[in-house]
Amino acid sequence: MKRISLHIIARRNRKTQLQGQTLSLNLSHPESANRPRVVIVGAGFGGMAAARALRGHAAEVTLIDQTNHHLFQPLLYQVATAALSPSDIATATRVLMRGGSNLSVLMAEVTGVDIRARSVLLRNGHRLPYDYLVLATGSASSFFGQDNWREHTLVLKTIEDALAIRARLLEAFERAEQSTDDVEIRRLLTFAIVGGGPTGVELAGTISELARATLARDFSRIDPRDTRVVLCEAGGRLLSGFDPALSTYAAEALTSMGVEVRIGTTVEAIDPTGVVLGSERIDTGAVLWCAGTEARPAAEWLGIDGVRNGAVTVRSDCSVPGHPNIFAIGDVASFETDGGKRLPALAPVAKQQGTYVGKLLAARIAGRREPVAFRYRDYGTMAVIGRSRAAAQFGRLRLTGFLAWLVWSLIHLMLLVDFRSRLVVYVNWAWAWFTYGRGARLLTGSTTSDARQPPLSDPESGRPDDK
């Protein structure tokens, strides 16, 4: 049985009130009390890989995350565009950790790290002691100092974000169907996407297909094919991490699908009903922000200065300088290669770093020789643009079109963590490919937009959406 030890200062009252502190949370088994304690913060690709690498070793491993599931983030945009349901790309963390007698899972929010006491601070007041700490907290959206834009945009990082985008897209068509104001209809059916990386490209292409193919015959008063999708990229080309030829292909493919591609165009302002791109204002039903990321506050927890995006600078073994028992991996780490380049914030980087750190800790605990410095193996980069259209590069090999899309589909199916997810996603993709249908287009009370999201109606117009 698990032992939870709580130290509480209580006061007598008519109803017992718990005050004071909960000083320690011990999740280890009695017979393994002397084993080293490894705490992993974050159940993403990096954290999950580290935990699995430590399965069965002589250490007590606790995996902490704010949610109770592991999310396959590369397919999150398909939940946002009604192609897949959340359960198709997410699996309960406890299910994935089954079979590891030395593994524990804790759903909790981390608020800090006490380095001197070697403990992780939790929102509920508990402290979780550690001998080794692995920070795999991932990243959040960055607005480059314009935090006031956050309340007027939709981001894509979590399942909740994806459901909010899905609700906004589907509601826009439903409200446009009720409206008799042509100006309002045009605004509702205009979607601006900021950021020309893989996520922005994938969202732009899929939203265009959703409107022009899936929804084309579903409405009687509006024509969804009139939907306007604007993709804005401040840099010189889309998919800047890809070969320039693939960037050109992506831009041409999106344009042929009806997407307006704006290259070298910066965002000047965002408000509740639109966005200013350069000198042009575009009234929109939604602004989707895919432009930048920043590391979660791990550097702040450790009391050190992070790099420009807040990531923690790490050594060649992914440890934090001056703290050989603390490691940072994935998006929260700033890892510089021998060539002076910093590794990108990609799932394969996090996964490889997690496996490496797990093996390093297993060797250190067992008194074996530790692995050499971490080296990232780049197996390729891919981005899907639309139905039968994708861009992929594997070393010197470049693929586009149907072949790239097929390779992308097969690889992503294999990377899904369980057989059920692979089967369901395969069936959904096959159905969508042959019929242009999408099986997750329901609007329910739990998915419709709420007051926290940018309004669909114009707050200055003084009129309801159906006027």
Side-chain angles (χ1 to χ4, degrees):
M1 291 179 60
K2 295 179 178 178
R3 295 181 301 144
I4 300 180
S5 117
L6 304 174
H7 299 271
I8 302 171
I9 300 174
R11 215 195 274 174
R12 275 186 198 171
N13 243 334
R14 240 172 122 184
K15 289 184 181 177
T16 303
Q17 295 180 350
L18 298 180
Q19 280 186 343
Q21 322 123 350
T22 47
L23 297 179
S24 83
L25 182 63
N26 186 351
L27 297 175
S28 61
H29 294 276
E31 63 274 15
S32 56
N34 294 326
R35 289 182 173 182
R37 298 160 299 188
V38 180
V39 174
I40 302 171
V41 184
F45 287 103
M48 191 66 65
R52 285 179 164 177
L54 286 163
R55 188 196 301 269
H57 290 277
E60 286 303 303
V61 181
T62 303
L63 180 62
I64 310 176
D65 197 274
Q66 292 187 68
T67 70
N68 73 336
H69 57 265
H70 169 72
L71 176 64
F72 190 76
Q73 214 167 26
L75 292 181
L76 193 57
Y77 80 96
Q78 295 209 3
V79 175
T81 53
L84 297 174
S85 296
S87 60
D88 297 338
I89 65 167
T91 305
T93 308
R94 295 185 185 278
V95 172
L96 299 176
M97 291 293 100
R98 282 176 184 168
S101 60
N102 67 323
L103 303 180
S104 298
V105 176
L106 185 63
M107 181 177 167
E109 181 182 354
V110 174
T111 58
V113 176
D114 187 336
I115 296 177
R116 289 186 178 181
R118 290 194 175 189
S119 60
V120 172
L121 312 180
L122 306 182
R123 175 69 66 187
N124 58 12
H126 293 170
R127 286 174 174 261
L128 188 62
Y130 67 82
D131 296 300
Y132 298 100
L133 176 62
V134 181
L135 298 173
T137 50
S139 60
S141 296
S142 170
F143 290 84
F144 308 113
Q146 300 288 344
D147 289 341
N148 58 306
W149 293 351
R150 189 182 301 273
E151 61 181 308
H152 307 313
T153 61
L154 295 165
V155 299
L156 187 58
K157 286 292 182 182
T158 66
I159 286 178
E160 290 76 16
D161 294 337
L163 292 177
I165 292 175
R166 188 182 77 180
R168 174 50 53 93
L169 294 176
L170 297 179
E171 278 189 89
F173 290 100
E174 295 293 343
R175 296 196 182 191
E177 176 79 353
Q178 300 176 42
S179 179
T180 57
D181 186 329
D182 290 341
V183 173
E184 182 68 359
I185 291 173
R186 282 196 298 272
R187 186 184 74 82
L188 287 169
L189 299 186
T190 299
F191 304 101
I193 301 166
V194 182
T199 301
V201 167
E202 289 166 347
L203 276 173
T206 312
I207 291 173
S208 180
E209 286 188 337
L210 173 69
R212 290 170 171 77
T214 305
L215 303 179
R217 298 184 299 274
D218 288 1
F219 294 87
S220 58
R221 297 179 62 186
I222 63 170
D223 187 351
R225 291 172 294 186
D226 293 334
T227 297
R228 184 184 182 192
V229 180
V230 182
L231 176 61
C232 168
E233 167 56 41
R237 59 189 177 95
L238 301 180
L239 302 176
S240 60
F242 288 60
D243 184 274
L246 297 181
S247 299
T248 301
Y249 168 79
E252 292 175 349
L254 287 171
T255 301
S256 70
M257 296 166 65
V259 176
E260 297 179 29
V261 179
R262 308 289 183 89
I263 303 295
T265 304
T266 58
V267 176
E268 301 299 330
I270 301 176
D271 58 44
T273 57
V275 58
V276 178
L277 302 180
S279 59
E280 178 187 4
R281 175 179 173 81
I282 300 177
D283 293 329
T284 67
V287 178
L288 279 57
W289 185 268
C290 309
T293 60
E294 61 185 9
R296 305 276 184 185
E300 181 181 336
W301 294 347
L302 300 177
I304 60 178
D305 293 329
V307 297
R308 186 176 180 183
N309 71 337
V312 178
T313 300
V314 295
R315 302 175 62 188
S316 61
D317 63 352
C318 297
S319 67
V320 178
H323 304 284
N325 64 328
I326 300 178
F327 300 82
I329 59 177
D331 294 3
V332 78
S334 176
F335 188 100
E336 189 172 298
T337 65
D338 293 338
K341 291 185 177 181
R342 297 195 181 276
L343 292 180
L346 298 174
V349 174
K351 192 171 183 179
Q352 289 182 36
Q353 286 182 330
T355 300
Y356 168 85
V357 169
K359 291 181 177 179
L360 181 148
L361 289 177
R364 183 177 298 180
I365 291 168
R368 301 193 309 265
R369 183 179 178 181
E370 297 178 14
V372 295
F374 173 74
R375 291 190 64 183
Y376 173 59
R377 291 173 174 80
D378 187 355
Y379 294 111
T381 310
M382 298 174 288
V384 68
I385 299 165
R387 184 178 185 269
S388 301
R389 302 186 189 190
Q393 61 182 42
F394 307 97
R396 296 182 180 179
L397 179 64
R398 307 286 185 266
L399 299 176
T400 58
F402 177 77
L403 182 58
W405 176 84
L406 184 62
V407 172
W408 176 92
S409 301
L410 292 174
I411 289 177
H412 281 70
L413 279 175
M414 289 188 295
L415 289 175
L416 286 167
V417 293
D418 60 59
F419 175 78
R420 177 198 166 277
S421 296
R422 295 188 192 109
L423 181 61
V424 171
V425 170
Y426 173 78
V427 171
N428 274 281
W429 283 353
W431 174 261
W433 197 86
F434 285 108
T435 68
Y436 289 92
R438 289 172 186 265
R441 288 162 48 196
L442 299 182
L443 279 171
T444 66
S446 62
T447 59
T448 50
S449 299
D450 57 32
R452 293 172 298 172
Q453 302 298 339
L456 277 171
S457 59
D458 185 347
E460 302 298 326
S461 67
R463 62 188 178 224
D465 294 318
D466 59 347
K467 289 291 183 73

